[in-house]
Amino acid sequence: MKNLFNYFTRESKQSSNTGPPTIVEKETPKTSVKKLEQSPTSTEAPKTCPASLIKKTKRNDSDSFDEGDFDLPKFLKKSEIKDSNMRRPDDPDYDPTTLYIPPGQKFTPAMQQYWEIKKSHFDKILLFKLGKFYELFYLDAITVQGILDLKWMGDEQKKAHVGFPEKTLEKNAAILIEKGLKIVVVEQTETTVKNRVQKAGKVVGREITEILTKSTFSAHYMSSDHEPAYLLSVVEIQDNFGIVLADLSTCEFFVGECNREDFRNLIYRSRPSEIVYNQYFLSGNTLKMIKALPIPPVFSMIKNSDEWNPIKLSEYFPEDVPKIIASLPMHSSMRALVGCCYYLKNSLIFDRTIGIGQFKVYQQDLIHQRYMNLDSQALEHLEILLANVGKEKVVKGSLYDFLNKCSTPFGKRLLKKWVTSPLMSVESINKRLDAVTELISNKEVYKVFDKAASKLPDLERLLAKLSAYSIKSNSKAVYFEDVGTNRLKEFCSFLKFMQSLQSLMSDIESFDLQSEGLVNIIKLQSYDGCFPDLNPLCNELFSKIQNNNGEPEPIEGFCDSYDDVKSEIKTLKNSLQNELLTERARFGNNPEIKFVDSKFRYELEVPMYLVDKSKPKDYEETSGRNGFQRYYTKNIKSLADKLVVTEERLKNELKPFINQLMSLFYANFEIWKKAIDLVSEFDCLASLAKVVNSTAFTMSRPYFCSDSSEMEIQELVHPILASRVDNFIPNSVHFTEDNHCFVLTGPNMGGKSTILREIGLATIMAQIGSYVPAEYMKFSPVDSIFTRLGASDSLIEGKSTFFVEMEEANKFFKKGTKNSLVIMDELGRGTSTEDGSALAYAVLDALAESKPKTMFTTHYHMILIDIREIPGVVMTHMDSVLNATTKTLTFLYKLKNGECPKSYGLNIARLAGINENIIKVAEKKAAEEEYEQKLALVTGMLKKLKEKGIQNPMPYIQEILNEYNN
Ligand SMILES: Nc1ncnc2c1ncn2[C@@H]1O[C@H](COP(=O)(O)OP(=O)(O)OP(=O)(O)O)[C@@H](O)[C@H]1O
Ligand SMILES: [Mg+2]
């Protein structure tokens, strides 16, 4: 294979381009390695430091807030802030995660606890539990108040203190995380009552329970967004990338190694939400590449290189390193895994993620064998996941969006994997296509499926969440919300949903479907590729739970400690009832005397008329209402306190029960997962069928052949444009061994780029098992699609357009084969006419050797004479009609054989309403420039032809000049 960099040696112009010709440049780390004591990670720049985020709040739009508006402790003042090592924020070694608090400060006991935590999590928003509320102080309060639209506590802004109730944590945390903030949640480990009963006045215990970031959030909560928020741990060692890509919502971990090119593709495909890295194991160029992603991730740096040492793997997996990982001989991936483990451990979710992790090897070779190679450029240029709307990238208008008619969140996620991983095996593609074909003609089947499936929650994530409950937690956090009961309810509803899946599959089975792909999903056979029998498993688990007044609890006899506490509660409640009878007896057994739960539990409510004259001496007033007074006696108070504490114990006794129950559940993880995976697959196949039945244009089943040079597509349209535009004009192309390269010319706006994209999209659609937007398509599976379309985002990576063009074209020469599809739109546009046209020629000439199916547009009409001589090239153009009198152009959008005589740029200007006088001047200028350009081109060509050993270039030059003179 030729290397384009060698083939086409650039000269003088190269130096004027900003892009460096080297691919990777190791950046010398600016900071020295520093041992982190308390805070494990550091933000790459102190930009998530609360102080600098203040500008994001609604209240304060300016860069800084006015310190005079708030009563801040002195050590929080901008002029005073230091990290734990007394470094100021302008120090290159400043650690934004820590805060220096000078000795001798006087805090209340609760605030003492607050600052103990805050000083090692200064970069995070601290949500500090006080009773039923999360409260935020000082800079955190100032940052968050505007974002969450909270009222200042006691309406006093000066105190910089806000809060929100326990039950709004998930909603509020999600909003803050979306803003790129990190959160640390601090819970109470005992209730105030328990503290009062047991410790008489000591401060309530508290602990950190959650550290929430964009990726870790999904390990705790079921986000409404079905998209995975991937965590990517990466280690770069001399162009070799060790990676761990983790979806913490489903606990899937992909571990492996890849080269720079595959790393780039990986991040474009997965679009990670958070990157964990070390400054010594990630080059400046890679950082730039990551930052250039359409939605840049949050960066979490683990500064201490020791925490990336592969030797530490055995510390994280003391018993057994998962087999699949142990089989990896890869050094960098082990480092990335160790870094990932460290991060998860410090985020307090190691057990609930790695502990139940499903590890998969990310194997570059296997991926290339099984799937079409769709690199980051192809994904971007063909708008597979995101479409370009102006400078924005949006899902609407992408191929994924067009094909997504899935009913479940897990189906949507699988479809996204399908569209980015078209298959290579004709057998597998046809299996999907058979299933889609059968569903197209059986609409009733997917209607039945949709009706049930659209009601399903995100079962895949729920499965991971429930599995995590099988891990014993040491947390003592107490919640006012009944967490244990809620978990049990969640579990019961999961089981019911799984049972409903099974009955859904039996309903679908009654349609007697025949295609192998569908039969393998729905047939209720033994657990062997077909839908598993879930009912016995569900019944077994349900048998451990009983219903207690609508609340689930363990059946008697399953959990002794739970039963014991329950009977203690019963005794206490009986004793309280006896106390009530005793108190009523004091007033002639008056039934109006009752227990109420108002300010406290079991307050004795007595009608006023009974006590206004003589109140028993031992009655301690608690609260009252109109006509009634409420009291505690010593006995009642003591029993009520005991009851509260014992009920709390009962809640805690649910934990070991849930643990035990979830272990039984987790033992069959594979079966639950299989059932959900099969439903996802059905959802995707049904989605592809629904697309065919809902489009106004023709879609047909693609066919495959063994001749790798063959690709015939008749009456093809662009699926997204044709859905929006009436009368979209279809086109046909036929690639063969002798006609493998279509060179396309035509006026601006004539539909050139559109037809290029159409072919790419149809190929991808066919290989994922979808119908294609054409009357007919036959081809042999394409191994790669190489694209060069439009300006690339790599400009942000610091590469010039020309460099990117060279790099992209060069990719083909490194990896392309006869089975590849090459789509090049105006190659050479990023440089001078001379260089650009020579590059275009050189690329086409080189492609003649390996003969990939190529679609190539160009505006360099001057080189067409040369190009048409290249073997395999077919000259085509997009048809249009020029009205000689009005000089207006009508686009016909039809692909025609032969070259288009002119590019009609000025006619387009006319169409756009530009003043006729201006156009006339432009026409004159264009003629002059064209002459200049041709001269420059002749010089360039002369050189090139000499290099190629063509001794007599005069006929070529003559031809160019003749054309000009005509
Ligand atoms: N086959 C078609 N049928 C109907 N309208 C079309 C067709 N192809 C393209 N168009 C319309 O023409 C517009 C321009 O098409 P396109 O961008 O492909 O032109 P182009 O030849 O690549 O132009 P340029 O040379 O400026 O890049 C499209 O946005 C679409 O609205
Ligand atoms: Mg174009």
Side-chain angles (χ1 to χ4, degrees), residues 377-400:
Q377 270 90 356
L379 288 177
E380 234 193 307
H381 295 160
L382 298 175
E383 305 185 322
I384 303 299
L385 297 176
L386 294 172
N388 300 308
V389 178
K391 284 189 175 163
E392 295 274 298
K393 303 225 181 255
V394 292
V395 177
K396 200 161 172 49
S398 64
L399 178 65
Y400 164 70

Side-chain angles (χ1 to χ4, degrees), residues 747-754 757 789 825-826 829 857 859:
N748 293 99
M749 300 288 289
K752 301 184 295 300
S753 304
T754 306
R757 288 200 167 94
L789 283 149
D825 201 4
E826 296 175 39
R829 190 171 53 171
T857 68
H859 274 303

Side-chain angles (χ1 to χ4, degrees), residues 932-950:
E932 293 292 323
Q933 282 174 6
K934 280 181 180 166
L935 272 184
L937 183 69
V938 169
T939 327
M941 288 259 173
L942 257 173
K943 212 171 121 245
K944 186 163 57 65
L945 294 170
K946 253 191 201 155
E947 274 166 19
K948 290 182 78 184
I950 296 174

